Structure formats: C-alpha cells, structure tokens
Amino acid sequence: MSVEYYLLSRKTYDHMIAHLEAILELQNTLDEHPDSKFGNPLDVTYYHEEIQRFIQLKDMCSRRIMELCEHDYIDDEIDVGPETSQKITYCQICEHSK
C-alpha cells in the first residue's frame, strides 16, 4: 500500500470520526435538556439503536485506520516534567502507542 493511500484513508476516516462524535455530542445536548421527552417508548428503543450504530461506525473507522497502517514502531522518551521523562513505544506512521 502506498503512503499516499494510507494518508488519504487516515484523513477520510478521521474526518468521519469527527462528524460522528459531533452528532453524538449534539444528541447528548438535546437529551440533557429539561424539556427533552419521548412520547412513545418505542421511540426510545429506536433512538438507542441508532446511537449504537453511530458508535459502531466510529469504532469501525478507528479499527480501519489501524488495519491500513504498516506499523513501524520505535522506542522514544518524552518529557513529562521538568526533570522527568517516560519511555514510550509508538508507530512513527500512524502514531499508535503500545
């Protein structure tokens, strides 16, 4: 797989994830409003099923990003304080950490 394809895929899936997160956040805002009520119990079931589909789609996008990458893990140290550092291992392509 070419790096160009990976980067395009990563950008596209990241964009999709951001939109799905925005939809979920907007729905939570409506749900938390004091005037938010469902008139029919079936509406609640349908609504929760749809939200679960959004969450599953978001998770699928994240997994797809991981599957597309030909990981190249490296060990590094990061500063966590003025005198303190921590060892980490991450992919220098997709930035996934172990």
Side-chain angles (χ1 to χ4, degrees):
M1 170 189 20
S2 71
V3 172
E4 292 84 14
Y5 177 74
Y6 171 75
L7 293 174
L8 173 65
S9 297
R10 171 80 186 253
K11 180 180 176 183
T12 303
Y13 283 121
D14 282 344
H15 197 68
M16 290 170 61
I17 289 168
H19 282 286
L20 290 166
E21 287 173 345
I23 290 168
L24 293 170
E25 185 177 323
L26 289 169
Q27 188 59 54
N28 283 337
T29 301
L30 286 175
D31 290 347
E32 292 170 359
H33 192 279
D35 293 336
S36 175
K37 295 177 185 164
F38 288 100
N40 182 343
L42 294 176
D43 292 341
V44 174
T45 302
Y46 175 77
Y47 159 76
H48 287 294
E49 289 171 358
E50 289 300 305
I51 292 300
Q52 289 304 312
R53 284 190 193 106
F54 278 124
I55 292 169
Q56 289 170 355
L57 182 56
K58 186 180 136 217
D59 292 343
M60 182 209 66
C61 290
S62 296
R63 280 192 310 273
R64 188 68 179 135
I65 289 170
M66 289 294 298
E67 291 168 0
L68 286 171
C69 186
E70 295 174 3
H71 298 293
D72 182 13
Y73 287 101
I74 60 172
D75 295 320
D76 199 0
E77 287 191 24
I78 58 170
D79 294 331
V80 292
E83 302 287 327
T84 314
S85 63
Q86 179 179 354
K87 291 184 179 187
I88 62 167
T89 302
Y90 68 95
C91 173
Q92 60 184 355
I93 299 169
C94 73
E95 300 175 345
H96 174 261
S97 60
K98 288 185 174 183

